[in-house]
Amino acid sequence: MNPFERPRIYTIETDMSENTTRDTVILGSGCAGLTAAIYTARANLKPLVLEGHEPGGQLSITTLVENFPGWPEGIQGPELIENMKKQAVRFGAELKMAHLHSIDLTKHPYELNIGKETIRTRTLIIASGASARWLNLPSEQALIGHGVSSCATCDGFFFSGKEIAVIGGGDSAMEEALFLTRFATKVTLINRSEKFRASKIMLERAMAHPQIEFMTSTVVEEVLGVEDKDVKGLKLKNRATGKESTLPVSAMFLGIGHEPNAKAFTGLLDLDPDGYILTKNNVFTTKDGEIIPGVFACGDIQDRRYRQAITAAGSGCMAALEVEKYLEEHGR
Ligand code: NDP
């Protein structure tokens, strides 16, 4: 089906001139959501951004971002997000510390329940992202951004000439380990199981690499260096033998997967088997293959492949332009 065609099963019968309803609501305040906010605000749509559980998204927990175009010296992730917020607010976006409890997509305007309040909106941009999985050790959480990272592409460069560890045994971990050999003198890949989930080709590639060493049946008990605010090593335990050891490393990269923040849309939108929102033409959402009018998804919640700040921002822009087009076509 051509995604620009009018949908068959979902139809719009709303009075589009009614004024208590928002033109657009954006779920999520990471790179995708804030870019969508800047664009829709500049189009005078007065977007409401619900900041969600992790305001600022994944960038707000990174340190230096060196690959976002326009910042030749790099910029701190939280500062980049703060700048985007200011830019969106300057043009009339409203930011609200709230998250979605439930949503009704069966009637239009769509109704969003955010706890004590129900918001009605003509269009919706879903940009609630994906969250990296963490080990959830207190020492790990304390050292995020100080040697603990979930993004090799973002932070690998800072560990040039150092020894580092990658946690996980799937394709993400293999990819991170291989990428990190560009910078690190040695990468130790630590898998909690004896077996790997990675595809044969990725596993073989990593195993054949002279700079990568493997540890299996091993779990991280503690990340060392909390007092220095700098990773000094890992306290490990072999699950088979119970033996404990210390691995001196300067960084720990998590490669244990991501969780898309799309649970609220289960049964309402088409999701892939891992829970990512399926989109047509990058941002159009569907249910049983039919386009849902005025509901768009952008950023990591629909992108398991690239997961970069700039690609999230790009799709946020696309979603915003589709919102404008949609409202214009429906007489707003
Ligand atoms: P996977 O679910 O495939 O693997 C997750 C890995 O992390 C497993 O080894 C798992 O161990 C481990 N793990 C999970 N939780 C913990 C924990 N709390 N502590 C320690 N270890 C943990 O996720 P991936 O992100 O690797 O891959 C997701 C999908 O994306 C796959 O389909 C993959 O093929 C694809 N992908 C493809 C790439 C490519 O082709 N280049 C690159 C990256 C991803 P255990 O086995 O013990 O559960």
Side-chain angles (χ1 to χ4, degrees), residues 135 168-172 175 191-193 197 202 255-257 304:
L135 300 175
D171 281 340
S172 294
E175 199 171 63
N191 188 24
R192 70 177 173 186
S193 306
R197 280 196 206 214
M202 295 286 282
I256 60 174
R304 59 189 299 138

Side-chain angles (χ1 to χ4, degrees), residues 100-112:
L100 184 67
H101 285 217
S102 61
I103 184 163
D104 189 349
L105 293 180
T106 60
K107 57 175 185 244
H108 197 266
Y110 302 121
E111 280 189 6
L112 281 69

Side-chain angles (χ1 to χ4, degrees), residues 26-34 37 49-52 54 56-57 98 125-129:
I26 298 167
L27 301 180
S29 53
C31 246
L34 292 174
V49 180
L50 302 182
E51 294 203 51
E54 289 176 35
I125 295 179
I126 307 166
S128 34

Side-chain angles (χ1 to χ4, degrees), residues 83-104:
N83 287 349
M84 289 187 190
K85 278 188 188 172
K86 279 189 202 145
Q87 200 173 346
V89 168
R90 184 180 144 218
F91 293 113
E94 189 186 331
L95 272 64
K96 195 177 176 80
M97 290 289 257
H99 63 269
L100 184 67
H101 285 217
S102 61
I103 184 163
D104 189 349

Side-chain angles (χ1 to χ4, degrees), residues 11-15 108:
T11 51
I12 300 295
E13 290 162 7
T14 319
D15 174 4
H108 197 266

Side-chain angles (χ1 to χ4, degrees), residues 133-136 140 167-176 189-199 201-202 205 218-220 239 254-258 274 276 304-305 307:
R133 283 195 203 122
W134 300 95
L135 300 175
N136 289 321
E140 168 209 53
I167 315 300
D171 281 340
S172 294
M174 300 305 144
E175 199 171 63
E176 293 214 339
L189 191 136
I190 301 169
N191 188 24
R192 70 177 173 186
S193 306
E194 194 54 42
K195 287 195 170 164
F196 293 94
R197 280 196 206 214
S199 56
I201 184 164
M202 295 286 282
R205 208 175 286 162
T218 303
V219 290
V220 178
R239 291 167 85 197
L254 279 303
I256 60 174
H258 286 79
D274 292 322
Y276 287 84
R304 59 189 299 138
R305 190 173 174 85
R307 297 198 291 237

